[in-house]
PDB file of all heavy atoms in Angstrom:
ATOM      1  N   ASN B 200      19.870  28.629 -46.800  1.00  0.00           N
ATOM      2  CA  ASN B 200      19.831  28.625 -48.267  1.00  0.00           C
ATOM      3  C   ASN B 200      19.064  29.814 -48.837  1.00  0.00           C
ATOM      4  O   ASN B 200      18.005  29.663 -49.466  1.00  0.00           O
ATOM      5  CB  ASN B 200      19.247  27.293 -48.766  1.00  0.00           C
ATOM      6  CG  ASN B 200      19.468  27.097 -50.254  1.00  0.00           C
ATOM      7  OD1 ASN B 200      20.113  27.926 -50.899  1.00  0.00           O
ATOM      8  ND2 ASN B 200      18.949  26.016 -50.795  1.00  0.00           N
ATOM      9  N   GLY B 201      19.589  31.003 -48.647  1.00  0.00           N
ATOM     10  CA  GLY B 201      18.980  32.206 -49.198  1.00  0.00           C
ATOM     11  C   GLY B 201      18.927  32.172 -50.708  1.00  0.00           C
ATOM     12  O   GLY B 201      17.960  32.653 -51.319  1.00  0.00           O
ATOM     13  N   PHE B 202      19.958  31.609 -51.320  1.00  0.00           N
ATOM     14  CA  PHE B 202      19.997  31.485 -52.776  1.00  0.00           C
ATOM     15  C   PHE B 202      18.817  30.664 -53.285  1.00  0.00           C
ATOM     16  O   PHE B 202      18.085  31.067 -54.182  1.00  0.00           O
ATOM     17  CB  PHE B 202      21.327  30.839 -53.198  1.00  0.00           C
ATOM     18  CG  PHE B 202      21.355  30.397 -54.630  1.00  0.00           C
ATOM     19  CD1 PHE B 202      21.576  31.308 -55.645  1.00  0.00           C
ATOM     20  CD2 PHE B 202      21.154  29.056 -54.951  1.00  0.00           C
ATOM     21  CE1 PHE B 202      21.590  30.889 -56.974  1.00  0.00           C
ATOM     22  CE2 PHE B 202      21.161  28.643 -56.272  1.00  0.00           C
ATOM     23  CZ  PHE B 202      21.383  29.553 -57.289  1.00  0.00           C
ATOM     24  N   GLY B 203      18.619  29.489 -52.707  1.00  0.00           N
ATOM     25  CA  GLY B 203      17.547  28.601 -53.161  1.00  0.00           C
ATOM     26  C   GLY B 203      16.173  29.229 -52.996  1.00  0.00           C
ATOM     27  O   GLY B 203      15.311  29.080 -53.864  1.00  0.00           O
ATOM     28  N   ALA B 204      15.970  29.932 -51.895  1.00  0.00           N
ATOM     29  CA  ALA B 204      14.684  30.605 -51.688  1.00  0.00           C
ATOM     30  C   ALA B 204      14.452  31.642 -52.781  1.00  0.00           C
ATOM     31  O   ALA B 204      13.337  31.797 -53.287  1.00  0.00           O
ATOM     32  CB  ALA B 204      14.662  31.263 -50.307  1.00  0.00           C
ATOM     33  N   ALA B 205      15.527  32.358 -53.147  1.00  0.00           N
ATOM     34  CA  ALA B 205      15.392  33.401 -54.165  1.00  0.00           C
ATOM     35  C   ALA B 205      15.071  32.804 -55.527  1.00  0.00           C
ATOM     36  O   ALA B 205      14.261  33.353 -56.288  1.00  0.00           O
ATOM     37  CB  ALA B 205      16.679  34.218 -54.232  1.00  0.00           C
ATOM     38  N   VAL B 206      15.682  31.682 -55.859  1.00  0.00           N
ATOM     39  CA  VAL B 206      15.399  31.063 -57.151  1.00  0.00           C
ATOM     40  C   VAL B 206      13.945  30.604 -57.199  1.00  0.00           C
ATOM     41  O   VAL B 206      13.235  30.837 -58.186  1.00  0.00           O
ATOM     42  CB  VAL B 206      16.363  29.878 -57.406  1.00  0.00           C
ATOM     43  CG1 VAL B 206      15.937  29.117 -58.664  1.00  0.00           C
ATOM     44  CG2 VAL B 206      17.790  30.374 -57.524  1.00  0.00           C
ATOM     45  N   ALA B 207      13.471  29.965 -56.122  1.00  0.00           N
ATOM     46  CA  ALA B 207      12.081  29.512 -56.090  1.00  0.00           C
ATOM     47  C   ALA B 207      11.129  30.711 -56.176  1.00  0.00           C
ATOM     48  O   ALA B 207      10.148  30.694 -56.920  1.00  0.00           O
ATOM     49  CB  ALA B 207      11.816  28.692 -54.824  1.00  0.00           C
ATOM     50  N   ALA B 208      11.425  31.768 -55.421  1.00  0.00           N
ATOM     51  CA  ALA B 208      10.569  32.959 -55.448  1.00  0.00           C
ATOM     52  C   ALA B 208      10.537  33.574 -56.848  1.00  0.00           C
ATOM     53  O   ALA B 208       9.502  34.050 -57.310  1.00  0.00           O
ATOM     54  CB  ALA B 208      11.073  33.984 -54.433  1.00  0.00           C
ATOM     55  N   SER B 209      11.677  33.547 -57.473  1.00  0.00           N
ATOM     56  CA  SER B 209      11.769  34.119 -58.813  1.00  0.00           C
ATOM     57  C   SER B 209      10.910  33.344 -59.807  1.00  0.00           C
ATOM     58  O   SER B 209      10.248  33.928 -60.666  1.00  0.00           O
ATOM     59  CB  SER B 209      13.248  34.078 -59.234  1.00  0.00           C
ATOM     60  OG  SER B 209      13.440  34.788 -60.413  1.00  0.00           O
TER      61      SER B 209
END
Side-chain angles (χ1 to χ4, degrees):
Chain B
N200 193 3
F202 168 80
V206 172
S209 189

